[in-house]
Amino acid sequence: PDFCQLVMNLYGEQISEVDEDGNLPLHVAAAAPPSMRKNKIVWSLLGTKPAKDFARTRNNSGMLPFEIACALQSAAVGDEGEEEEDINMLLAANPAAVVSEQVATTTVNCDDNNNSGKQQPLPLHLAIKNKRRWKSGVEAIFLANPNAIEVREDETRLYPFMIAAVGESRSLTTIYCLLRACPMVLVGREIIS
């Protein structure tokens, strides 16, 4: 953090400059691989005065720093603590980032196959698709927006627990915790919150 603070003191005016893709330094830090220990950089950037504005700024692809961090491929098992810390920091800076118009309703029809219009993926879907585990951010994202567990992913039409069950690096803990939170998705009936 000392190096990050020194750089910010020297070049503080650049903290609000965007690159050709509309990324602020916070977007770039959120996209850094976990091996770079980006949480120190994110903490430093979030410690600046306009941090909340930065956390609420979408880049040219329409993504918030929080969504970029969710979409980042998860690191190896054992690095979950740092990944969860990154998610928690960005979530604290912009709690609204986890909520979407997709989950604004309290009732979701499990049998609804209507796939009208491409929507921005929910952070919960992004995190699970990118092999994040329950303790590497999925739990924090779920707790911030529990209704997202009832929403099928737009592209595959799978529920979050189904997304977690697909692929070689599936986590039984993640699947179990998601199902435990909303067992009604198994029976295919209308879910009422």
Side-chain angles (χ1 to χ4, degrees):
D2 298 332
F3 176 73
C4 294
Q5 196 60 49
L6 174 66
V7 170
M8 287 174 42
N9 289 339
L10 292 172
Y11 306 102
E13 70 281 354
Q14 293 181 0
I15 197 167
S16 59
E17 291 183 16
V18 296
D19 65 13
E20 63 276 357
D21 297 320
N23 292 315
L24 290 162
L26 187 57
H27 290 93
V28 175
S35 62
M36 292 182 64
R37 298 190 56 85
K38 69 177 183 263
N39 55 11
K40 292 178 183 176
I41 299 169
V42 172
W43 268 124
S44 296
L45 291 170
L46 288 175
T48 63
K49 287 184 182 178
K52 295 231 184 234
D53 292 336
F54 296 157
R56 293 183 180 123
T57 302
R58 293 190 180 275
N59 64 13
N60 293 350
S61 299
M63 298 202 58
L64 298 167
F66 175 76
E67 294 167 334
I68 292 170
C70 290
L72 189 66
Q73 185 82 14
S74 183
V77 175
D79 294 336
E80 289 95 347
E82 281 185 30
E83 290 183 348
E84 184 176 24
E85 188 177 351
D86 292 341
I87 293 290
N88 286 334
M89 287 185 289
L90 291 164
L91 186 55
N94 184 11
V98 79
V99 181
S100 162
E101 292 174 15
Q102 226 174 346
V103 287
T105 59
T106 56
T107 304
V108 177
N109 186 348
C110 293
D111 295 322
D112 181 18
N113 289 321
N114 180 13
N115 195 3
S116 58
K118 190 94 169 141
Q119 297 177 344
Q120 185 77 10
L122 293 175
L124 184 64
H125 297 149
L126 285 172
I128 295 169
K129 283 177 84 170
N130 287 286
K131 301 179 178 95
R132 286 193 179 264
R133 296 171 181 266
W134 187 250
K135 288 294 180 189
S136 67
V138 172
E139 179 181 25
I141 296 166
F142 164 71
L143 291 173
N145 186 7
N147 290 339
I149 201 167
E150 301 172 6
V151 178
R152 292 176 190 256
E153 197 261 339
D154 198 38
E155 184 180 329
T156 62
R157 304 300 296 151
L158 298 176
Y159 286 109
F161 86 90
M162 295 172 172
I163 298 168
V166 175
E168 294 177 21
S169 61
R170 60 189 162 267
S171 163
L172 291 178
T173 301
T174 303
I175 298 165
Y176 171 76
C177 290
L178 291 168
L179 278 172
R180 184 169 184 230
C182 187
M184 293 302 294
V185 295
L186 287 173
V187 295
R189 292 189 195 142
E190 191 172 300
I191 300 172
I192 300 174
S193 300

